[in-house]
Amino acid sequence: TLSNGMAYNLLFAFFSGIWTVFAVVMLFFTKKGRCYWMKCYEIPEGDKNSKGRAIQNMLALDPGDSVNAFLRLRGLSEEFVKSHYVVFATKRGIVKKTSLEAFSHPRNVGVRAITINEGDEVVDVRLTNGRNQLILANRNGRAVRFDETDVRAMGRTATGVCGMKPDDDGQDEVVGMIVVNDPKTESVMVVSQEGYGKRSEVEDYRMTRRGAKGVKTLNITEKTGKLVAIKNVTDDLMVADIETDG
């Protein structure tokens, strides 16, 4: 039998877990720059072999649009939304920072989150506290690190400013962005098209102003293929790579 105290603790943990699921809000961002909201409990569960449901059937996406990034938020309290920002990165190297407060009033049809220029699209979206560092990486194996304060806060419909200059080869583009919270404990992991990975210290990437070309993060060869992903990791994390065929 359980003591009253243990029973209380189990009930508290159970109902806290239920409340956590109901309180978590998902923000989905599309390549064309729109934002949609969904409560976590509205997303159907499935095992690792299940096919899942098409996101188009759950969100009112425009024809030809698709989800490229998402944020998971544990509620949208007034204090939290006023002290955090949503930072966007596009494949042409544009970055934009907007107060999370601008995304704190869900609408079924979604809202414009960033104005995208012709030929560009959103590739990554991150949550920041206004004092973070940002690292953007491109297909050609370079990365640029700069302070978040280099990017002023803008409204939802703004286009943004240059965060990284892609190469002029007509094929280069930004593939991802990470937010650095603690350079001393975090490291940078990059992965190439052919499955090659590399981990390096944050301090290996010198601080520059936004809009720079960046420094080499991975030597791109025919064997490695182009860079496809960048993530920040710590020693206690486990990493899983998923191929395009699932």
Side-chain angles (χ1 to χ4, degrees), residues 41-204:
Y41 67 83
E42 295 175 329
I43 302 174
E45 291 189 28
D47 59 39
K48 67 181 180 66
N49 295 317
S50 62
K51 189 175 181 180
R53 284 184 59 188
I55 197 72
Q56 287 86 349
N57 296 336
M58 303 169 67
L59 303 173
L61 298 185
D62 294 335
D65 206 359
S66 60
V67 172
N68 272 15
F70 67 88
L71 294 176
R72 180 177 64 94
L73 305 175
R74 200 176 295 277
L76 293 169
S77 68
E78 183 177 359
E79 180 182 359
F80 185 79
V81 299
K82 287 186 175 181
S83 60
H84 287 77
Y85 297 87
V86 178
V87 178
F88 300 80
T90 76
K91 72 177 185 180
R92 288 191 170 179
I94 298 296
V95 293
K96 195 199 80 162
K97 180 170 74 173
T98 300
S99 172
L100 179 59
E101 188 175 13
F103 302 97
S104 60
H105 305 289
R107 301 179 191 174
N108 291 335
V109 295
V111 297
R112 181 185 294 180
I114 178 177
T115 297
I116 296 296
N117 294 323
E118 185 176 353
D120 203 0
E121 64 183 52
V122 173
V123 295
D124 220 337
V125 181
R126 300 290 175 180
L127 189 70
T128 70
N129 60 19
R131 305 177 303 277
N132 293 120
Q133 296 174 9
L134 305 175
I135 299 180
L136 278 70
N138 67 3
R139 278 170 50 88
N140 287 346
R142 294 197 323 279
V144 60
R145 173 188 172 205
F146 56 91
D147 202 295
E148 178 190 346
T149 55
D150 284 354
V151 185
R152 64 178 178 85
M154 308 174 194
R156 280 196 296 105
T157 58
T159 300
V161 294
C162 180
M164 182 180 192
K165 290 182 179 178
D167 291 340
D168 299 325
D169 59 6
Q171 298 180 345
D172 190 28
E173 59 188 46
V174 170
V175 298
M177 171 180 63
I178 62 173
V179 173
V180 178
N181 295 290
D182 186 355
K184 295 182 179 179
T185 61
E186 297 176 27
S187 54
V188 179
M189 182 171 181
V190 293
V191 179
S192 75
Q193 212 166 12
E194 298 299 327
Y196 286 82
K198 175 185 173 183
R199 184 179 170 196
S200 51
E201 300 297 326
V202 171
E203 297 299 341
D204 290 343

